[in-house]
Amino acid sequence: LGGHVLLQQLREVTADEFTAAQPQPFTDPNVRKFPQAQRLRGSRNPIGEDGKVAEALEAEKLKAQVTGGRTSIQDMQPFTEDRWSDGKHLWWTGAKPGDLLMLELDVLADIEAIQLVMTCAIDYGIVELRLDGKPLAPPIDLYEPNVVTTGLLEFPTEGLSVGKHQLELEIVGANPKAVQQFM
């Protein structure tokens, strides 16, 4: 929590000073922008000192079903450009466009948003996320030349109620630059 005090003062400036003070477009090449999602990167990843995200549902521990390919647990500690909660992730391989990964979520309290972190790599696909059959956002391109996370993504859920829900990931394609493995 925090507070901010903004003080404004009126002063005369030259045309050059005025132009220099105008907002500039944000162009950090390390930050990928996802529509309808907020991305926080690297050190702002919510991983605690114990290597885990507090109160997170680890995907590798959830009941998962797939319509194609298979899932396994991958140790992510060799990939040092980013960090993964508990040092691993649920790895979905051998799938193709149109295949689904379905995760059962047991929601214990009403929530307004789902936050998740996914992995990006050179051979990862483009996925569409759905909650109980409803799209959460436009498809997300998980292509990245290096193995990193998406950072924290947040999706509004319009008051998700207590009970069982299903998070679906559908492979809808791959970036033309990606190795076409659709992971």
Side-chain angles (χ1 to χ4, degrees), residues 4-94:
H4 303 276
V5 176
L6 302 175
L7 302 175
Q8 296 182 349
Q9 296 177 349
L10 181 64
R11 67 182 176 108
E12 290 195 24
V13 294
T14 67
D16 289 342
E17 288 173 311
F18 176 80
T19 302
Q22 296 308 298
Q24 301 298 312
F26 182 73
T27 58
D28 183 346
N30 295 317
V31 177
R32 294 169 48 191
K33 297 176 179 87
F34 295 115
Q36 299 180 8
Q38 178 184 11
R39 182 178 201 293
L40 305 176
R41 206 169 156 83
S43 64
R44 295 176 67 184
N45 199 329
I47 297 176
E49 294 292 323
D50 63 354
K52 296 182 180 182
V53 174
E55 300 180 16
L57 299 175
E58 302 289 349
E60 61 273 12
K61 295 177 183 172
L62 296 176
K63 181 180 177 184
Q65 294 180 311
V66 294
T67 61
R70 65 182 181 85
T71 61
S72 60
I73 298 171
Q74 184 180 22
D75 178 11
M76 299 306 289
Q77 294 182 41
F79 303 100
T80 58
E81 287 193 41
D82 219 331
R83 295 177 15 179
W84 286 258
S85 180
D86 207 17
K88 51 191 163 235
H89 76 158
L90 180 66
W91 196 21
W92 183 22
T93 59

Side-chain angles (χ1 to χ4, degrees), residues 112-142:
E112 297 299 319
I114 286 184
Q115 296 178 328
L116 63 108
V117 176
M118 294 185 288
T119 301
C120 299
I122 197 166
D123 48 4
Y124 279 37
I126 298 171
V127 297
E128 180 175 273
L129 300 170
R130 291 190 290 266
L131 182 63
D132 296 332
K134 297 177 185 170
L136 285 174
I140 298 172
D141 187 354
L142 298 174

